[in-house]
mmCIF file of all heavy atoms in Angstrom:
data_model
loop_
_atom_site.group_PDB
_atom_site.id
_atom_site.type_symbol
_atom_site.label_atom_id
_atom_site.label_comp_id
_atom_site.label_asym_id
_atom_site.label_seq_id
_atom_site.Cartn_x
_atom_site.Cartn_y
_atom_site.Cartn_z
ATOM 1 N N GLY A 458 -6.786 12.765 5.643
ATOM 2 C CA GLY A 458 -6.795 14.106 6.414
ATOM 3 C C GLY A 458 -5.733 15.035 5.794
ATOM 4 O O GLY A 458 -4.886 14.564 5.124
ATOM 5 N N ALA A 459 -5.974 16.295 6.232
ATOM 6 C CA ALA A 459 -4.891 17.314 5.719
ATOM 7 C C ALA A 459 -3.495 16.985 6.583
ATOM 8 O O ALA A 459 -3.617 16.459 7.657
ATOM 9 C CB ALA A 459 -5.317 18.625 6.143
ATOM 10 N N TYR A 460 -2.409 17.293 6.050
ATOM 11 C CA TYR A 460 -1.175 16.821 6.640
ATOM 12 C C TYR A 460 -1.089 17.714 7.939
ATOM 13 O O TYR A 460 -1.162 18.908 8.076
ATOM 14 C CB TYR A 460 0.015 17.406 5.755
ATOM 15 C CG TYR A 460 1.391 16.920 6.365
ATOM 16 C CD1 TYR A 460 1.648 15.627 6.623
ATOM 17 C CD2 TYR A 460 2.441 17.806 6.567
ATOM 18 C CE1 TYR A 460 2.833 15.116 7.101
ATOM 19 C CE2 TYR A 460 3.537 17.467 7.034
ATOM 20 C CZ TYR A 460 3.772 16.108 7.405
ATOM 21 O OH TYR A 460 5.015 15.667 7.859
ATOM 22 N N PRO A 461 -0.693 16.916 9.084
ATOM 23 C CA PRO A 461 -0.681 17.611 10.394
ATOM 24 C C PRO A 461 0.567 17.911 10.972
ATOM 25 O O PRO A 461 0.859 18.036 12.067
ATOM 26 C CB PRO A 461 -1.366 16.352 11.325
ATOM 27 C CG PRO A 461 -0.867 15.096 10.621
ATOM 28 C CD PRO A 461 -0.696 15.420 9.126
ATOM 29 N N GLY A 462 1.612 18.077 10.080
ATOM 30 C CA GLY A 462 3.044 18.323 10.423
ATOM 31 C C GLY A 462 3.205 19.793 10.949
ATOM 32 O O GLY A 462 2.409 20.648 10.582
ATOM 33 N N LEU A 463 4.309 20.008 11.630
ATOM 34 C CA LEU A 463 4.565 21.386 12.191
ATOM 35 C C LEU A 463 4.770 22.316 11.142
ATOM 36 O O LEU A 463 4.066 23.469 11.299
ATOM 37 C CB LEU A 463 5.881 21.180 12.982
ATOM 38 C CG LEU A 463 6.354 22.480 13.667
ATOM 39 C CD1 LEU A 463 5.404 23.055 14.747
ATOM 40 C CD2 LEU A 463 7.744 22.313 14.366
ATOM 41 N N GLU A 464 5.436 22.069 10.093
ATOM 42 C CA GLU A 464 5.584 23.026 9.021
ATOM 43 C C GLU A 464 4.287 23.390 8.233
ATOM 44 O O GLU A 464 4.025 24.554 7.836
ATOM 45 C CB GLU A 464 6.557 22.499 7.984
ATOM 46 C CG GLU A 464 6.224 21.228 7.215
ATOM 47 C CD GLU A 464 6.664 19.973 7.864
ATOM 48 O OE1 GLU A 464 6.649 19.908 9.200
ATOM 49 O OE2 GLU A 464 6.840 18.989 7.238
ATOM 50 N N ALA A 465 3.314 22.450 8.325
ATOM 51 C CA ALA A 465 2.003 22.765 7.631
ATOM 52 C C ALA A 465 1.260 23.766 8.523
ATOM 53 O O ALA A 465 0.522 24.725 8.078
ATOM 54 C CB ALA A 465 1.199 21.439 7.463
ATOM 55 N N GLU A 466 1.317 23.590 9.893
ATOM 56 C CA GLU A 466 0.699 24.501 10.835
ATOM 57 C C GLU A 466 1.385 25.774 10.756
ATOM 58 O O GLU A 466 0.642 26.837 10.775
ATOM 59 C CB GLU A 466 0.870 23.976 12.232
ATOM 60 C CG GLU A 466 0.145 22.588 12.586
ATOM 61 C CD GLU A 466 -1.505 22.715 12.276
ATOM 62 O OE1 GLU A 466 -1.921 23.730 12.396
ATOM 63 O OE2 GLU A 466 -1.944 21.648 11.850
ATOM 64 N N GLU A 467 2.763 25.898 10.438
ATOM 65 C CA GLU A 467 3.464 27.174 10.537
ATOM 66 C C GLU A 467 2.978 27.975 9.169
ATOM 67 O O GLU A 467 2.911 29.096 9.286
ATOM 68 C CB GLU A 467 4.940 26.840 10.443
ATOM 69 C CG GLU A 467 5.508 26.517 11.690
ATOM 70 C CD GLU A 467 6.936 26.068 11.613
ATOM 71 O OE1 GLU A 467 7.425 25.794 10.589
ATOM 72 O OE2 GLU A 467 7.600 25.964 12.656
ATOM 73 N N ARG A 468 2.707 27.140 8.249
ATOM 74 C CA ARG A 468 2.216 27.948 6.991
ATOM 75 C C ARG A 468 0.707 28.198 6.819
ATOM 76 O O ARG A 468 0.173 28.519 5.827
ATOM 77 C CB ARG A 468 2.671 27.028 5.766
ATOM 78 C CG ARG A 468 4.180 27.111 5.512
ATOM 79 C CD ARG A 468 4.632 26.695 4.138
ATOM 80 N NE ARG A 468 4.281 25.364 3.781
ATOM 81 C CZ ARG A 468 4.973 24.241 4.163
ATOM 82 N NH1 ARG A 468 5.955 24.285 4.785
ATOM 83 N NH2 ARG A 468 4.490 23.046 3.819
ATOM 84 N N GLY A 469 0.032 27.846 7.949
ATOM 85 C CA GLY A 469 -1.389 28.159 8.030
ATOM 86 C C GLY A 469 -2.409 27.210 7.454
ATOM 87 O O GLY A 469 -3.307 27.510 6.703
ATOM 88 N N GLN A 470 -2.247 25.907 7.915
ATOM 89 C CA GLN A 470 -3.046 24.860 7.512
ATOM 90 C C GLN A 470 -4.679 25.167 7.737
ATOM 91 O O GLN A 470 -5.473 25.068 6.822
ATOM 92 C CB GLN A 470 -2.737 23.468 8.127
ATOM 93 C CG GLN A 470 -3.421 22.237 7.662
ATOM 94 C CD GLN A 470 -3.094 21.812 6.282
ATOM 95 O OE1 GLN A 470 -3.366 22.441 5.340
ATOM 96 N NE2 GLN A 470 -2.253 20.763 6.201
ATOM 97 N N GLY A 471 -4.849 25.504 8.930
ATOM 98 C CA GLY A 471 -6.281 25.826 9.291
ATOM 99 C C GLY A 471 -6.917 27.027 8.527
ATOM 100 O O GLY A 471 -7.974 26.949 7.997
ATOM 101 N N GLU A 472 -6.006 27.966 8.316
ATOM 102 C CA GLU A 472 -6.527 29.149 7.625
ATOM 103 C C GLU A 472 -6.910 28.810 6.152
ATOM 104 O O GLU A 472 -7.848 29.273 5.515
ATOM 105 C CB GLU A 472 -5.496 30.316 7.562
ATOM 106 C CG GLU A 472 -5.984 31.729 7.088
ATOM 107 C CD GLU A 472 -5.712 31.707 5.527
ATOM 108 O OE1 GLU A 472 -4.966 30.990 4.962
ATOM 109 O OE2 GLU A 472 -6.448 32.519 4.942
ATOM 110 N N ALA A 473 -6.022 27.983 5.518
ATOM 111 C CA ALA A 473 -6.080 27.664 4.190
ATOM 112 C C ALA A 473 -7.448 26.740 3.914
ATOM 113 O O ALA A 473 -8.016 27.018 2.935
ATOM 114 C CB ALA A 473 -4.814 26.751 3.698
ATOM 115 N N ILE A 474 -7.697 25.818 4.754
ATOM 116 C CA ILE A 474 -8.931 25.133 4.704
ATOM 117 C C ILE A 474 -10.092 25.928 4.897
ATOM 118 O O ILE A 474 -11.090 25.958 4.124
ATOM 119 C CB ILE A 474 -8.773 23.861 5.660
ATOM 120 C CG1 ILE A 474 -7.755 22.897 5.286
ATOM 121 C CG2 ILE A 474 -10.265 23.193 5.730
ATOM 122 C CD1 ILE A 474 -7.479 21.807 6.309
#
Side-chain angles (χ1 to χ4, degrees):
Y460 184 59
L463 180 64
E464 61 274 32
E466 297 299 334
E467 285 172 346
R468 292 197 297 278
Q470 185 71 286
E472 186 277 337
I474 292 171

